[in-house]
Amino acid sequence: MKKHWKLRFTLSLLIPLGFNSFYSLPTHASEAAETNIQTNVKVNAQSSKTITDTENQSALATAQQVKDQQIDSQQLVNDTYQKIAENKDLNSVIYQDPVNARQQVNALPTTTSNSEQPFYGVPILIKGLGQAYKGYPNTNGLPYMKDNHYGYTKNFVAKLQEMGFVIVGETNYPELGLINVTDSNLYGPTHNPWDLTRNAGGSSGGAAASVAAGIVPLATGNDAGGSLRIPASWSGVIGLKPTQGIILGDSLTPSVVNFAETRRIDDTIKLFEGLIDPKRKSLLKEFPLKLQDLKIAYSLKSPVGSVVSPDAEKAVLNAVTFLRQQGFQVVEKDNHGVKLMRAYYLGALSDGTVANYLAQQKLHRNLQASDVTEHLISPMTYALYEASKKAPKEIKQTYNNELALVAAQMKSFHEEYPIYLTPTTATVAPLNSDLAFLPADVTKILQMAKMPFEQQMDVIYNAWYHGLSKTPFTQLANLAGEPALSLPTYVNAQGLPLGIQLEGEKGSDLILLALGKLFEDKGKLIFLSDYQKLNNDVQSSKPQNEDKANISKVVVHNLGKKSVYEFQTVPSKLNFSDNVSPKYVVKTSQQVNARKLQLTKEKQLPQTGSNNNDGLVLLGLALFPLSLTSVYQNKRKF
């Protein structure tokens, strides 16, 4: 078995004025003026035990303890910085600002209601890419931008503070968010808490690793091709990509969406409710009278023809079995999206333009091939820059037409199948030694200036395919503007997690979260701390409770006229052993025999529904290079 990252949750009782000797403070103008700030720390005899008890509980529960003065927000912040230090080998956090965090704690109102600040006093990490917070680094992961800082705070981040969060730092990401792993010339790789030799995923890998390791209960990220869901799958956390445009500050046009990596569905729901743009609540869909009325289609086939691992298939088939046991109709419908991503990458050309614009500002010249070999930019950044110079101008209208076609196709698909179930990723997390781009492809990229545009795009697609083949399922939701939810339901024989993805029609975010709540309440979500406990404990021989959840009775979490289900059934004990390789579960011989019988049945899983091969068919897309301003603010590829 791989050596897992053993988390240590020791409490730091450092007084705030002593922080300077333990942590490197930021170097910005306000630092000197803040070194003598007095705090309102309220530490009592039970503080140490109480904060330790918050490690695996929801952010909402922790906030309530702060409101009830059972624990102190500044002490929570101190403890978070201690956890970052203890988990420094993850390289998940790239920037910390204890002085600014202390200011935020002091600015918290002395009285608040649950509705006003549901996350009162809870520390949070924000993604270093695209989530502007004044004074924090704004580098896009480019070495020549390493000294650049935000001069403003984005409304998304300001809303987090309005909800009561205390921002404590920035998380790691790849250069320009272009790849599905977190690694860059500037910040280096984010290691996976489940296995330090592997990557946490990208581009919100620092956020996912921080949540998986228990540093914070949730951390924000963004997603334009899977950036929340891919690291959620590979790091074993919950990743929701919301409906395009429904979150405050996000564009209605398919591009980046902002949200978070989480560990609890209730936290996810409350965060989603708080971050919705008030003007766009009408985008939310009404709930069905009975959740089991939702017909679910599933697929095990990669839309780009790449290999899907047996583990990824097993994760989905386990979910299919579970959903059928809960009373859902689940049928197999393959996704035949041809050449979807080849055209999708045309939309990435503007990232090359952005990188060159920033180079002109900082280096006073255009990008060149030697910048790749000198590790100033990634091979793909240079490739996109070269191709952007030769891109035809007529792509924009084609892009608009194709987006409309995809939206119409998905609308038609969801009329019969409101929910679409796939693996989140086709494989487990790659090793950090697995290069993002193969050397042969990099060699071709360095020669791209001499190639015609069509040949350039062939080189780009072939170079990107090495990574895309591991994560081909997430991009459809971005192109269609639909919500998609990755749930951590499976761990393979090597002790590595994999997620399943539930995709729904536009506005069905809360319906997806209701399904996620069902998985959670039935003990089907597997987090690192749970898995470590599973490995250490002898499992009970009590049969697993597979009764159907009474999910049509109670409607709570009101959001205007919209609501999300809360299940009345009492959650059973943690019983995710069916989704964990039996190699790491201590069982009685009776359980082992029962497991073998179940595996035999699953290999003969019946295929229901029609066999007329009328699955989802997507035409090739041509995405136009977005304008410099819109791309710089919104466009990310993963």
Side-chain angles (χ1 to χ4, degrees):
M1 187 176 95
K2 299 286 185 183
K3 180 179 179 181
H4 298 295
W5 182 239
K6 300 299 182 182
L7 305 177
R8 296 174 297 156
F9 297 107
T10 58
L11 174 66
S12 168
L13 293 177
L14 301 174
I15 60 173
L17 295 180
F19 242 14
N20 291 12
S21 62
F22 287 86
Y23 300 101
S24 298
L25 296 180
T27 55
H28 46 75
S30 63
E31 178 180 8
E34 301 299 339
T35 54
N36 293 319
I37 289 177
Q38 299 297 314
T39 64
N40 59 345
V41 177
K42 300 183 289 292
V43 180
N44 57 42
Q46 295 183 347
S47 291
S48 177
K49 182 177 186 301
T50 304
I51 292 179
T52 300
D53 289 342
T54 68
E55 287 158 2
N56 291 315
Q57 73 180 17
S58 70
L60 291 171
T62 300
Q64 191 59 53
Q65 287 183 300
V66 177
K67 293 175 185 179
D68 294 341
Q69 297 187 349
Q70 296 176 10
I71 55 178
D72 177 73
S73 181
Q74 181 63 53
Q75 191 58 47
L76 281 172
V77 169
N78 294 1
D79 191 55
T80 300
Y81 285 125
Q82 180 69 10
K83 291 176 183 177
I84 293 172
E86 291 172 353
N87 289 277
K88 63 181 180 180
D89 288 346
L90 293 178
N91 193 32
S92 63
V93 179
I94 57 174
Y95 183 77
Q96 305 171 50
D97 193 340
V99 168
N100 181 268
R102 190 183 306 139
Q103 289 177 307
Q104 294 175 68
V105 171
N106 287 340
L108 289 171
T110 55
T111 59
T112 184
S113 68
N114 288 333
S115 60
E116 290 174 345
Q117 292 194 314
F119 297 102
Y120 182 80
V122 176
I124 191 173
L125 291 161
I126 61 174
K127 187 174 180 178
L129 180 67
Q131 297 184 342
Y133 185 46
K134 188 174 182 179
Y136 270 40
N138 176 25
T139 69
N140 282 283
L142 296 163
Y144 52 86
M145 296 293 293
K146 64 181 179 180
D147 296 324
N148 201 48
H149 291 78
Y150 286 111
Y152 68 100
T153 296
K154 189 175 182 179
N155 54 0
F156 173 86
V157 177
K159 184 63 178 178
L160 293 172
Q161 292 178 303
E162 289 178 21
M163 298 173 73
F165 284 113
V166 177
I167 298 168
V168 297
E170 261 185 4
T171 57
N172 201 357
Y173 60 92
E175 179 178 307
L176 294 167
L178 286 173
I179 54 177
N180 56 7
V181 292
T182 293
D183 194 4
S184 69
N185 291 319
L186 181 58
Y187 296 122
T190 291
H191 300 270
N192 196 309
W194 293 71
D195 180 345
L196 290 178
T197 68
R198 295 180 180 269
N199 198 273
S203 64
S204 302
S210 297
V211 173
I215 295 173
V216 286
L218 50 81
T220 63
N222 38 42
D223 191 316
S227 280
L228 282 163
R229 292 157 288 152
I230 292 167
S233 175
W234 284 345
S235 298
V237 296
I238 300 167
L240 172 68
K241 177 260 170 198
T243 295
Q244 184 70 53
I246 204 168
I247 297 298
L248 186 69
D250 287 352
S251 170
L252 285 168
T253 301
S255 55
V256 71
V257 294
N258 289 279
F259 198 61
E261 312 280 11
T262 63
R263 282 174 53 95
R264 296 289 181 268
I265 294 293
D266 285 347
D267 287 347
T268 315
I269 293 170
K270 183 60 68 174
L271 182 68
F272 177 77
E273 291 176 350
L275 289 175
I276 287 180
D277 188 329
K279 299 178 181 178
R280 295 175 181 171
K281 288 183 179 180
S282 60
L283 293 176
L284 288 174
K285 296 290 183 182
E286 297 284 355
F287 273 79
L289 294 177
K290 187 178 180 183
L291 200 57
Q292 290 102 325
D293 289 341
L294 297 172
K295 194 174 181 181
I296 300 174
Y298 77 94
S299 177
L300 305 174
K301 301 290 181 64
S302 165
V304 298
S306 57
V307 175
V308 177
S309 71
D311 283 322
E313 293 181 350
K314 183 67 181 299
V316 170
L317 292 177
N318 283 357
V320 168
T321 299
F322 169 71
L323 288 166
R324 286 173 176 164
Q325 289 169 340
Q326 303 308 307
F328 290 90
Q329 183 180 2
V330 188
V331 301
E332 186 171 13
K333 292 289 178 181
D334 289 337
N335 179 348
H336 300 289
V338 293
K339 300 188 183 301
L340 179 67
M341 293 309 301
R342 180 181 289 271
Y344 173 83
Y345 289 141
L346 287 174
L349 296 180
S350 292
D351 282 303
T353 305
V354 168
N356 190 65
Y357 171 80
L358 295 175
Q360 289 173 334
Q361 303 304 306
K362 294 291 184 177
L363 304 176
H364 308 293
R365 62 170 175 81
N366 292 325
L367 294 175
Q368 53 197 29
S370 62
D371 292 331
V372 176
T373 56
E374 293 175 7
H375 306 294
L376 273 181
I377 55 173
S378 74
M380 189 52 64
T381 297
Y382 175 70
L384 294 172
Y385 163 64
E386 285 294 344
S388 69
K389 295 190 293 184
K390 298 180 180 180
K393 297 180 179 180
E394 63 271 13
I395 296 176
K396 183 175 181 178
Q397 187 57 50
T398 303
Y399 164 82
N400 290 330
N401 294 340
E402 295 293 350
L403 274 188
L405 178 60
V406 170
Q409 289 176 328
M410 291 307 298
K411 184 176 184 298
S412 175
F413 179 81
H414 286 307
E415 286 175 359
E416 185 173 2
Y417 306 106
I419 305 298
Y420 185 42
L421 168 66
T422 67
T424 306
T425 56
T427 69
V428 295
L431 293 167
N432 277 309
S433 58
D434 182 2
L435 300 175
F437 305 104
L438 298 177
D441 292 322
V442 175
T443 299
K444 294 177 182 178
I445 286 173
L446 295 177
Q447 303 298 319
M448 280 185 60
K450 305 173 184 178
M451 301 176 187
F453 177 71
E454 291 299 327
Q455 186 178 351
Q456 288 176 329
M457 292 310 300
D458 284 341
V459 170
I460 287 173
Y461 178 77
N462 290 331
W464 231 322
Y465 188 83
H466 176 63
L468 173 65
S469 62
K470 304 177 183 69
T471 60
F473 296 102
T474 55
Q475 295 79 21
L476 173 61
N478 298 92
L479 293 172
E482 296 183 337
L485 175 67
S486 181
L487 297 173
T489 62
Y490 185 87
V491 178
N492 78 351
Q494 287 71 46
L496 298 171
L498 271 172
I500 58 167
Q501 178 177 254
L502 297 166
E503 181 176 343
E505 61 183 321
K506 292 179 182 178
S508 63
D509 308 63
L510 290 175
I511 296 174
L512 294 181
L513 289 171
L515 287 167
K517 183 69 172 173
L518 175 59
F519 277 84
E520 180 180 73
D521 281 358
K522 286 295 188 176
K524 295 297 181 182
L525 303 188
I526 312 171
F527 300 97
L528 178 58
S529 58
D530 299 328
Y531 181 72
Q532 290 172 332
K533 184 177 185 299
L534 180 67
N535 282 337
N536 293 330
D537 294 348
V538 175
Q539 299 303 297
S540 168
S541 60
K542 183 178 179 180
Q544 181 172 324
N545 178 16
E546 293 291 358
D547 58 304
K548 294 182 181 181
N550 189 3
I551 54 181
S552 59
K553 256 192 168 182
V554 176
V555 178
V556 294
H557 298 301
N558 289 322
L559 187 63
K561 294 182 179 180
K562 315 297 180 180
S563 304
V564 66
Y565 287 95
E566 184 172 283
F567 308 113
Q568 285 188 318
T569 52
V570 178
S572 57
K573 292 183 179 180
L574 200 64
N575 52 22
F576 50 70
S577 59
D578 282 345
N579 292 326
V580 180
S581 169
K583 178 179 178 181
Y584 295 107
V585 182
V586 180
K587 295 184 177 181
T588 65
S589 59
Q590 181 180 4
Q591 286 176 299
V592 171
N593 291 334
R595 175 64 176 164
K596 289 180 179 178
L597 178 61
Q598 182 186 359
L599 288 173
T600 301
K601 291 180 178 179
E602 287 173 343
K603 289 179 180 177
Q604 300 171 350
L605 186 70
Q607 304 301 310
T608 60
S610 63
N611 295 315
N612 59 358
N613 202 27
D614 59 346
L616 173 65
V617 178
L618 294 177
L619 301 180
L621 300 182
L623 290 103
F624 74 103
L626 302 177
S627 69
L628 179 63
T629 301
S630 64
V631 169
Y632 187 68
Q633 294 177 346
N634 290 324
K635 189 67 181 176
R636 299 289 176 245
K637 303 287 93 54
F638 281 100

